[in-house]
């Protein structure tokens, strides 16, 4: 009889342990926040930025000598939430320089500089909209190439946004 009591106690203990092993303990998670819409920004009041290089000798395109300033203005609505402002340039990349915009002339591209640094296409850069840095368009050619003469053109898009 004593053995039966011990066996019953053993099985009760075993079942209570197995029952507890399957129990799951947890706590609720409460999440909350405030979604904001970033105020809109405009570059040049939505007008095209036209950069004219004029007539240039193909032999004068060396390094970053042939550059022209982008005259642009950024206007954004009030930034009461102190969101960061980003600027980037997008466009078709040249076949010889991933940071150069493709032109209609083979082996000729247009790179951009902000301050003294090359701007990588499609990369966002923080910018102070009250004091935006100077941006330069720079003509570059593929190393050791001979450019054909003629009119050239290229286009890209300058974006500004809060994030």
């Amino acid at each position: 009889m004593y053995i039966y009591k011990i066996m019953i106690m053993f099985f009760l203990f075993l079942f209570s342990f197995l029952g507890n092993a399957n129990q799951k303990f947890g706590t609720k998670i409460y999440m909350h926040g405030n979604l904001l819409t970033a105020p809109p920004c405009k570059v040049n009041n939505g007008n095209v930025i036209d950069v004219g290089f004029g007539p240039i000798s193909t032999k004068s395109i060396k390094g970053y000598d042939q550059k022209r300033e982008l005259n642009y203005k950024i206007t954004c609505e009030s930034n009461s939430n102190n969101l960061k402002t980003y600027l980037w340039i997008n466009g078709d990349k040249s076949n010889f320089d991933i940071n150069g915009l493709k032109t209609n002339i083979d082996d000729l591209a247009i790179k951009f500089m902000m301050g003294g640094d090359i701007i990588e296409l499609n990369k966002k850069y923080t910018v102070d909209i009250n004091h935006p840095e100077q941006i330069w368009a720079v003509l570059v050619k593929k190393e050791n190439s001979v450019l054909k003469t003629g009119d050239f053109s290229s286009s890209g898009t300058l974006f500004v946004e809060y994030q």
Side-chain angles (χ1 to χ4, degrees):
M1 188 76 148
Y2 180 69
I3 263 237
Y4 291 117
K5 286 183 183 179
I6 291 176
M7 285 178 59
I8 290 173
M9 287 176 48
F10 173 75
F11 284 116
L12 286 174
F13 174 75
L14 181 64
F15 290 130
S16 69
F17 176 74
L18 291 176
N20 286 339
N22 289 331
Q23 285 183 346
K24 296 179 181 167
F25 298 97
T27 187
K28 290 185 179 188
I29 300 172
Y30 177 67
M31 293 160 277
H32 57 92
N34 182 8
L35 297 175
L36 302 172
T37 300
C41 294
K42 285 187 179 182
V43 178
N44 243 34
N45 210 23
N47 296 316
V48 172
I49 301 170
D50 187 25
V51 180
F53 280 89
I56 295 178
S57 166
T58 58
K59 292 185 181 200
S60 71
I61 302 173
K62 296 177 184 169
Y64 300 140
D65 291 342
Q66 293 296 335
K67 64 182 181 181
R68 303 293 185 272
E69 185 178 359
L70 264 70
N71 292 312
Y72 71 103
K73 182 179 178 184
I74 299 172
T75 52
C76 298
E77 290 184 13
S78 176
N79 182 9
S80 58
N81 294 305
N82 294 322
L83 300 170
K84 287 187 177 182
T85 309
Y86 292 92
L87 172 146
W88 73 98
I89 297 176
N90 186 0
D92 293 334
K93 295 179 180 184
S94 77
N95 60 358
F96 68 93
D97 188 329
I98 61 170
N99 293 318
L101 284 181
K102 181 180 180 176
T103 69
N104 62 315
I105 293 186
D106 292 338
D107 300 331
L108 179 68
I110 300 174
K111 292 175 95 164
F112 296 92
M113 295 177 72
M114 186 165 47
D117 300 321
I118 296 296
I119 293 176
E120 294 178 36
L121 293 179
N122 301 316
K123 180 178 177 183
K124 293 182 179 183
Y125 293 87
T126 54
V127 66
D128 178 354
I129 61 168
N130 298 315
H131 302 96
E133 287 194 57
Q134 202 172 30
I135 297 178
W136 297 91
V138 184
L139 282 180
V140 293
K141 69 177 186 173
K142 185 176 180 179
E143 192 173 342
N144 299 321
S145 66
V146 177
L147 298 173
K148 69 177 185 175
T149 60
D151 293 339
F152 67 89
S153 63
S154 180
S155 65
T157 306
L158 175 63
F159 292 97
V160 175
E161 75 173 2
Y162 284 122
Q163 231 177 29

